[in-house]
């Protein structure tokens, strides 16, 4: 545990900031887009995102993912972007099923799955608010 004014923590954040859009943000955007495209997204997603229409959010996420792919930089772990996106989408769909069905898969509990979905919705909504200001 560290305080928010910890020099080491702040140095890491400052050093990592240029890579946030390439390494930290994409999984949240991909999870959000996966949930938003579902016919019936998990309730934790709709309760956290607080939208009725996801079209503009999906468009913004698509533009960001296209920009990331066009940058020539690989996705986290060195994967190419299409493979990385498919992998996150697969995990997101599995987590959605866990959140809806209410039972774990031995590695992840339904609460953990719901938490990841809610975090993705909250972080993406904050990102969407920031890019539309």
């Amino acid at each position: 545990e560290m305080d928010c004014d910890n020099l080491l923590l702040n140095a890491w954040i400052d050093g990592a900031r240029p890579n946030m859009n390439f390494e930290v943000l994409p999984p949240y955007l991909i999870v959000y887009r996966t949930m938003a495209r579902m016919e019936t997204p998990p309730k934790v997603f709709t309760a956290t995102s607080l939208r009725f229409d996801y079209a503009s959010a999906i468009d913004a996420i698509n533009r960001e993912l296209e920009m990331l792919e066009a940058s020539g930089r690989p996705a986290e772990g060195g994967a190419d972007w299409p493979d990385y996106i498919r992998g996150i989408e697969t995990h997101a769909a599995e987590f959605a099923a866990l959140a809806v069905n209410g039972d774990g898969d031995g590695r992840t509990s339904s609460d953990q799955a719901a938490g990841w979905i809610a975090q993705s919705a909250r972080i993406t909504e904050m990102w969407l608010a920031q890019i539309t200001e």
Side-chain angles (χ1 to χ4, degrees):
E1 291 185 32
M2 293 183 188
D3 293 330
C4 292
D5 61 350
N6 180 283
L7 292 176
L8 181 61
L9 176 65
N10 283 289
W12 180 86
I13 290 170
D14 290 342
R17 191 178 316 273
N19 296 317
M20 293 286 186
N21 283 359
F22 287 93
E23 296 176 7
V24 177
L25 184 61
Y28 296 112
L29 299 181
I30 297 164
V31 170
Y32 186 102
R33 186 179 72 173
T34 302
M35 299 299 131
R37 289 176 166 173
M38 291 181 167
E39 187 173 321
T40 307
K43 289 180 183 175
V44 66
F45 174 75
T46 56
T48 308
S49 64
L50 300 175
R51 287 180 184 256
F52 292 110
D53 181 9
Y54 292 99
S56 64
I58 291 170
D59 287 345
I61 292 167
N62 288 342
R63 283 191 303 275
E64 182 71 8
L65 294 175
E66 288 167 4
M67 184 278 306
L68 292 172
E69 185 173 359
S71 75
R73 288 183 62 174
E76 184 178 11
D80 69 0
W81 284 101
D83 289 341
Y84 178 80
I85 291 167
R86 276 190 299 278
I88 299 293
E89 287 171 338
T90 298
H91 287 299
E94 292 168 356
F95 274 42
L98 283 173
V100 170
N101 296 331
D103 49 348
D105 65 0
R107 296 171 297 167
T108 307
S109 72
S110 58
D111 287 344
Q112 289 170 313
W116 191 45
I117 292 167
Q119 280 181 333
S120 296
R122 187 168 172 116
I123 289 167
T124 301
E125 285 295 336
M126 288 189 303
W127 174 78
L128 289 164
Q130 178 255 324
I131 66 165
T132 58
E133 288 181 345

